[in-house]
């Protein structure tokens, strides 16, 4: 039977967290494994809140088949870049894993400059961790496979930001059996901080769900260009050119009013790519299963 391929949005803000939004953090459940994608300040609290939501929704029969999200039993962590709004929750998360007695090795993927940051943590607080941390530096110029499990592979690819930054593509590698029928392999792509560039849509071509930062409103294009970010229209154009199934938007600038996120902001994306969604912390998305 096919397993869940489910995305939990833990954080959707940009550099400045808000009362109801932390900065970037996501959890993907795939191939019976848990993957954390970016780890902003407040990620552990977001795990706890999400478990409370899932428990309540299960009681209301709004969701089915979702397991408890364990922040200490992650199979791998993927850090897109070392700006604080994508990283500052990592040290306390690693510390909690140590306190709970984790022994399973942990892979952490990220740009080469994440290495000294992890060394710093280890030298002061992580020397007695009961689990091994393996840092895998990312240095590729185009998509490369960085991790593989039975029926699932993870690719990393460079993005266009002010510092070394990487996106990630998670995809099933073979048609899977579901009640004696086969379904199309599912996929999810995470594109965090990036200015638009032509290769990106080709690298994520045909993905079922594309998360693409849309930090700015269309009228703030010059600010986006200066800061190597995307507008909501840039994200929608990437989804359209990639032939994505659905576009998820996040990493909202603090200059965007909360009431505008699900109004003018997302409408600007829908005018280009109709199946666009502005995410909120706590949202859950199942990558669709399509029988073939």
């Amino acid at each position: 039977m096919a397993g869940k391929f489910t995305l939990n949005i833990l954080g959707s803000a940009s550099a400045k967290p808000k009362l109801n939004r932390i900065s970037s953090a996501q959890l993907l459940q795939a191939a019976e494994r848990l993957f954390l994608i970016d780890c902003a300040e407040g990620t552990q609290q977001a795990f706890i809140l999400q478990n409370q939501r899932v428990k309540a929704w299960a009681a209301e029969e709004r969701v089915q088949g979702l397991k408890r999200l364990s922040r200490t039993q992650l199979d791998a962590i993927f850090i897109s870049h070392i700006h604080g709004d994508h990283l500052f929750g990592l040290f306390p998360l690693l510390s909690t894993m140590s306190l709970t007695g984790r022994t399973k090795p942990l892979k952490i993927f990220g740009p080469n400059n994440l290495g000294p940051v992890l060394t710093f943590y280890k030298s002061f607080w992580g020397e007695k961790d009961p689990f091994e941390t393996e840092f895998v530096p990312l240095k590729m110029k185009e998509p490369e496979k960085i991790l593989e499990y039975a029926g699932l592979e993870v690719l990393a690819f460079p993005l266009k930001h002010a510092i070394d930054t990487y996106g990630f593509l998670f995809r099933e590698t073979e048609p899977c059996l579901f009640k004696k029928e086969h379904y199309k392999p599912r996929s999810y792509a995470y594109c965090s901080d990036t200015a638009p560039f032509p290769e990106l849509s080709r690298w994520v071509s045909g993905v079922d769900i594309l998360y693409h930062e849309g930090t700015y409103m269309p009228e703030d294009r010059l600010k986006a260009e200066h800061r190597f970010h995307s507008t909501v229209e840039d994200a929608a154009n990437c989804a359209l050119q990639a032939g994505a199934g659905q576009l998820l938007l996040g990493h909202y600038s603090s200059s965007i009013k909360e009431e505008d996120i699900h109004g003018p902001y997302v409408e600007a994306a829908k005018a280009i790519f109709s199946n666009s969604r502005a995410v909120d912390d706590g949202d859950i998305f199942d990558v669709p299963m399509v029988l073939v």
Side-chain angles (χ1 to χ4, degrees), residues 12-18 20-24 85 193 211-221 223-224 227 229-232 249-261 265 279:
S12 56
S14 57
K16 297 179 182 178
K18 300 183 178 183
N20 61 332
R21 299 181 189 274
I22 70 167
S23 299
S24 295
D85 55 326
D193 301 20
Y211 172 85
H212 193 301
E213 67 113 308
T215 305
Y216 292 105
M217 294 285 282
E219 57 266 30
D220 290 324
R221 176 165 299 280
K223 187 182 293 185
R227 297 179 178 176
H229 278 291
S230 293
T231 68
V232 64
L249 296 156
H251 200 266
Y252 315 115
S253 168
S254 58
S255 65
I256 301 176
K257 296 179 180 178
E258 192 67 25
E259 59 267 25
D260 288 343
I261 290 175
Y265 173 89
V279 303

Side-chain angles (χ1 to χ4, degrees), residues 45-242:
Q45 290 87 342
F47 265 94
I48 296 169
L49 286 172
Q50 191 70 345
N51 277 322
Q52 292 177 345
R53 295 186 190 104
V54 168
K55 184 177 180 180
W57 293 339
E60 298 170 6
E61 298 184 349
R62 289 172 56 186
V63 297
Q64 295 181 351
L66 293 182
K67 297 179 180 179
R68 181 179 177 275
L69 309 177
S70 173
R71 67 185 188 274
T72 60
Q73 294 299 316
L74 296 166
D75 289 282
I77 297 175
F78 302 87
I79 301 296
S80 62
H81 61 300
I82 65 168
H83 280 162
D85 55 326
H86 297 256
L87 177 66
F88 282 171
L90 184 58
F91 286 5
L93 176 61
L94 294 175
S95 179
T96 296
M97 289 182 178
S98 181
L99 291 172
T100 56
R102 177 189 174 116
T103 57
K104 181 171 67 174
L106 176 67
K107 288 182 180 290
I108 301 177
F109 298 84
N112 194 53
N113 53 11
L114 177 60
V117 177
L118 293 174
T119 299
F120 169 77
Y121 166 78
K122 278 285 190 182
S123 64
F124 282 91
W125 301 287
E127 289 182 342
K128 297 182 180 179
D129 284 350
F131 62 95
E132 179 184 353
T133 300
E134 179 187 353
F135 171 56
V136 182
L138 306 176
K139 305 174 184 179
M140 64 283 297
K141 300 297 183 183
E142 59 184 21
E144 288 185 15
K145 185 190 304 183
I146 59 172
L147 188 62
E148 187 171 21
Y149 296 103
L152 181 77
E153 64 181 8
V154 185
L155 286 76
F157 47 86
L159 296 172
K160 186 180 181 181
H161 194 40
I163 62 174
D164 287 349
T165 305
Y166 293 87
F168 304 100
L169 174 61
F170 302 80
R171 65 187 183 194
E172 292 174 322
T173 53
E174 57 190 31
C176 296
L177 189 65
F178 180 72
K179 295 181 179 179
K180 298 184 179 180
E181 296 179 294
H182 286 84
Y183 71 91
K184 174 181 174 287
R186 297 167 289 183
S187 57
Y188 171 66
Y190 177 82
C191 300
S192 68
D193 301 20
T194 186
F197 62 100
E199 294 85 2
L200 183 55
S201 60
R202 174 168 55 85
W203 291 346
V204 298
S205 178
V207 70
D208 289 310
I209 294 182
L210 169 65
Y211 172 85
H212 193 301
E213 67 113 308
T215 305
Y216 292 105
M217 294 285 282
E219 57 266 30
D220 290 324
R221 176 165 299 280
L222 291 180
K223 187 182 293 185
E225 292 176 355
H226 176 69
R227 297 179 178 176
F228 292 91
H229 278 291
S230 293
T231 68
V232 64
E233 290 182 334
D234 293 328
N237 279 317
C238 182
L240 180 65
Q241 294 161 12

